[in-house]
Every structure is written in C-alpha cells, then in structure tokens.
Amino acid sequence: MINTYNFENFVNEVKAPPVQPELSWRAVVIQLTHEALPEFKDFCRRQQIAVIDTFDRQLADLALVKFPDTRNLKERQSFVTDRLAACGGQAVCGNWVYLPWEKKVAHLLSEDDYFEVITNRNQDKITRDEQQVLRTKRIGVIGLSVGGEAAVTVAQEHLCGEIRLADFDRLDLSNLNRLNAGFDELGTAKVLIAARRIARINPYLEVRIFDEGVTAENAIEFLDGLDLLIEECDHLQVKRDVRQLARGRDLNVIYAADERGFLSIEPYQYCADLRPFHGRAEQPQPPRQSFPTPLAFMQALALWLGGWENLSKRSQGSLERIGQSLCGYPQLASEARYAAGQLGHVARRLLLGEKLPPFIGNLDLAELI
C-alpha cells in the first residue's frame, strides 16, 4: 500500500529524508488541508521545489470519462462543480505527489480517479472488469535493459498492482542506443531509472526494488507472491535457478530477446511437467568469468536464443568481433521495444487466466515482412 503523508510528514521527509534524493525512486503522496495549504506553498518555494498544478485538466478528463456522450456537457460541468464543492476547493482535492529526485511536486487526482482516467483508453482491449483483476496482480522483472522497457510497458498498461524490479547494473553511455534514459542519468542504477519512470506514470503503483539483482539470498523474497516472472538477465546460472524456483512454485515465466523476435513462454502454473527453459537448460550454467573470451560467453548466451545458427547473420558477425573491434553485444532500440511489446501482450493474457501453451521460437519481423 502507498503511504499518504500530511504536511508535517512531508516537511520531515524533505528536511531529513530516509533516502537521499539522488538515490530515491518512490513518489511521496501528500494530502493537504485548507489550513496547511499556504504553509505548503511557502515551504516549497523556500526549498526550491517546483510546484505543478494541472488538476483542472485532470478533473475535466475525469468528467469526460464519467460522461463521454457529446451531449453531456452540462453534466460534465455539474460534475466538476460538485466535486470541487465536496472537497472544499480545488487545492485540497486529490493529492499532491512529490518526486524527491526531481524536486517537483504535482497536484493529481486521487488514486481511484487517477486509475479510472489513465486506464480509460485501454477499453475494451482491456475491459474495466479485467483492469480491476489485473490491479491485484504482482509481476517481477529481472534484468532491466530489455526488461526495463518491459517493466515500463506492463506498468503503463496497468497490468499489475505491484511490480518488483531487480538489477545490479548501472547505466553506461553505450546503453543510450536503446534504453529510454538520458545522459544526465549516466552511472545511475538501472533499477532506479526504471522505478522512476514508473513513478512518473503512476505514483500510486507499488514498486519494490532489488538493487543487487536476484541472488541466492534474496530469490525467495523476490519471487514470493508473484503472479508472473519476466526474466531478462544475462547471468546464465540465475536464468536457470529462477526457472527451477518458479517451476516449484507454479509460477509462469516469460522471456523475450531483442534478437529476431525471440520469445519463450513457460507456463509452469498448468504445465507441471515442462522442464526449465523447455529442457534446454538442464545442466548448471558456468559463471561469465570462466569463459576464455567474450565470444565464448556470447556463444553460451546464444544457446538461450535458440543457438548460434538461430542468430541473424549480422549479429553473428558482430559477436565475432567483440573484444577485438567491438566492445559489446549488438542491440537496437526498436528491437528492445518490440521485445517489450511481446512481453506485455503475453503477460496480459496469462494474468487474465488464459492458458497459453508453452512456446519457444522467433517472431522475426525480417522474415514476416
């Protein structure tokens, strides 16, 4: 559950933050009274916190959602008037939401109203009843390169009420060819970048972070209570271990790679005899440092993508040059977002109870078009 602060709590949060703003990622939700409003605005001014108030536009959006018929203009106007009167004025309607890392506070609709507006244009690709079911779900995402795009996609479609993010890596300049981040975030933990992106879309969504990635020590905590696992890391043994744990917990796992539209659906919830990664990861996986060359590791990782021959010719050529004339694995922004789209589509169907069959293969646009 998201904690709601009063003005005094907010002041304490700013003056003595439990987490320094540069390391923060969780939005702070504030409810104000009429009495506290002048002090709130003065405090924000003195602390150089930017105040953003677009509540009137949001309330107009809510009225449109409630009365979508074009003939209902008077009803919309009455709804807005009545809502403001019930609150006692616009400034104390809804909530104020503080983003510590940006030193911004914004005036937003209350949680249920916000949810109603932000999900309205999902209908009926996702029905209202389905959206409420999805709101009860928990999703875990391991690995936040492609996984970061997937995490934001499922959060933006509101496919869950809680999302857990795990990664130990930090943003490098070479990551900016595909990750939705900026140069001002270089050196920032990828888990913080993804969590902040989600908070700016929906500050009411519960987000938990595991900034050491998933380890033997925290794997059970990470998986506990999940309804779906999205696995996108490149640690070979972790990929195998989490599948074994997921299988033992009847937890569905999905994985997509930004290489020829590769997709794996592992529905352990109702396919108890399905072996981890469709039987392609039967043996313990060696650590990355045990491989003699970067190419040797990439060839081992390629087994998780259907094998070396299943890679595109261009990717094969690039991989053969790693450690010589190239420094890293070739990946593109369009392919990362395509993988995220695949994961969002499959996640939605699985979370709504559709019994998708096990699948492993390529949905390769280069072949389809």
Side-chain angles (χ1 to χ4, degrees), residues 103-122:
K103 293 202 75 173
K104 291 179 181 177
V105 64
H107 192 186
L108 300 182
L109 294 171
S110 62
E111 182 173 359
D112 287 341
D113 288 342
Y114 191 91
F115 185 82
E116 185 171 0
V117 174
I118 204 170
T119 61
N120 181 260
R121 290 179 67 173
N122 287 355

Side-chain angles (χ1 to χ4, degrees), residues 9-315:
N9 296 145
F10 169 60
V11 170
N12 293 335
E13 178 83 15
V14 174
K15 289 186 173 180
V19 177
Q20 291 304 305
E22 63 271 17
L23 299 177
S24 65
W25 50 270
R26 192 189 298 276
V28 176
V29 180
I30 310 149
Q31 283 188 338
L32 294 178
T33 63
H34 276 292
E35 293 74 21
L37 185 62
E39 289 184 86
F40 170 76
K41 291 186 175 180
D42 183 60
F43 176 76
C44 289
R45 180 186 57 78
R46 287 186 282 109
Q47 295 293 322
Q48 297 184 315
I49 297 171
V51 177
I52 301 166
D53 191 349
T54 60
F55 192 83
D56 54 341
R57 293 180 65 89
Q58 298 168 53
L59 192 56
D61 279 343
L62 180 62
L64 182 60
V65 167
K66 297 284 190 184
F67 303 98
D69 192 313
T70 55
R71 296 166 294 182
N72 285 338
L73 180 59
K74 288 184 178 180
E75 286 85 350
R76 285 182 219 155
Q77 292 171 335
S78 295
F79 174 83
V80 169
T81 301
D82 292 346
R83 177 62 66 94
L84 292 175
C87 293
Q90 177 171 312
V92 293
C93 273
N95 297 309
W96 294 81
V97 176
Y98 174 52
L99 303 180
W101 62 95
E102 292 196 350
K103 293 202 75 173
K104 291 179 181 177
V105 64
H107 192 186
L108 300 182
L109 294 171
S110 62
E111 182 173 359
D112 287 341
D113 288 342
Y114 191 91
F115 185 82
E116 185 171 0
V117 174
I118 204 170
T119 61
N120 181 260
R121 290 179 67 173
N122 287 355
Q123 297 179 43
D124 280 326
K125 294 189 174 187
I126 305 173
T127 68
R128 296 181 72 172
D129 288 344
E130 287 172 338
Q131 204 81 69
Q132 292 299 329
V133 170
L134 291 168
R135 202 177 184 184
T136 68
K137 303 298 184 181
R138 298 184 180 96
I139 297 175
V141 185
I142 304 175
L144 296 173
S145 289
V146 169
E149 298 306 313
V152 174
T153 297
V154 299
Q156 196 157 23
E157 288 191 11
H158 297 83
L159 303 186
C160 59
E162 179 186 325
I163 189 165
R164 300 175 193 171
L165 309 174
D167 201 320
F168 60 85
D169 201 9
R170 293 179 177 271
L171 183 73
D172 292 322
L173 179 56
S174 61
N175 297 144
L176 293 186
N177 80 316
R178 65 193 184 279
L179 298 191
N180 194 341
F183 62 80
D184 56 321
E185 296 171 295
L186 293 175
T188 302
K190 291 179 180 177
V191 72
L192 290 184
I193 293 171
R196 290 169 176 177
R197 288 175 66 191
I198 291 169
R200 292 178 69 241
I201 295 167
N202 182 3
Y204 299 114
L205 180 63
E206 179 65 35
V207 180
R208 294 180 61 191
I209 67 170
F210 291 71
D211 56 8
E212 296 179 353
V214 169
T215 65
E217 292 73 27
N218 68 17
I220 298 302
E221 180 187 359
F222 182 84
L223 296 174
D224 188 40
L226 290 184
D227 297 289
L228 179 71
L229 175 63
I230 299 175
E231 185 282 303
E232 293 294 327
C233 74
D234 58 6
H235 189 297
L236 304 183
Q237 188 59 34
V238 170
K239 293 172 82 69
R240 182 173 183 269
D241 288 347
V242 296
R243 282 170 170 79
Q244 291 180 311
L245 291 170
R247 186 183 183 218
R249 302 166 80 88
D250 299 329
L251 174 63
N252 296 331
V253 179
I254 57 177
Y255 163 56
D258 47 358
E259 172 63 27
R260 294 192 56 231
F262 182 85
L263 177 66
S264 174
I265 305 172
E266 300 159 62
Y268 299 114
Q269 182 181 359
Y270 45 84
C271 292
D273 58 345
L274 179 64
R275 303 201 304 278
F277 199 58
H278 310 273
R280 299 186 185 188
E282 299 285 13
Q283 301 302 318
Q285 304 288 293
R288 186 167 189 161
Q289 59 269 25
S290 70
F291 291 91
T293 64
L295 176 59
F297 171 75
M298 291 299 176
Q299 288 173 327
L301 183 60
L303 295 176
W304 291 80
L305 308 178
W308 181 261
E309 294 304 317
N310 198 47
L311 303 181
S312 70
K313 295 301 181 185
R314 287 185 180 232
S315 289

Side-chain angles (χ1 to χ4, degrees), residues 322-367:
I322 291 178
Q324 299 177 35
S325 57
L326 287 180
C327 63
Y329 181 76
Q331 297 173 284
L332 296 176
S334 56
E335 293 176 334
R337 286 168 178 73
Y338 177 46
Q342 290 174 289
L343 292 166
H345 174 89
V346 174
R348 181 171 65 249
R349 293 170 68 182
L350 287 171
L351 290 166
L352 288 173
E354 188 173 344
K355 291 188 175 182
L356 299 180
F359 176 86
I360 186 167
N362 297 84
L363 304 172
D364 188 357
L365 291 180
E367 291 182 354

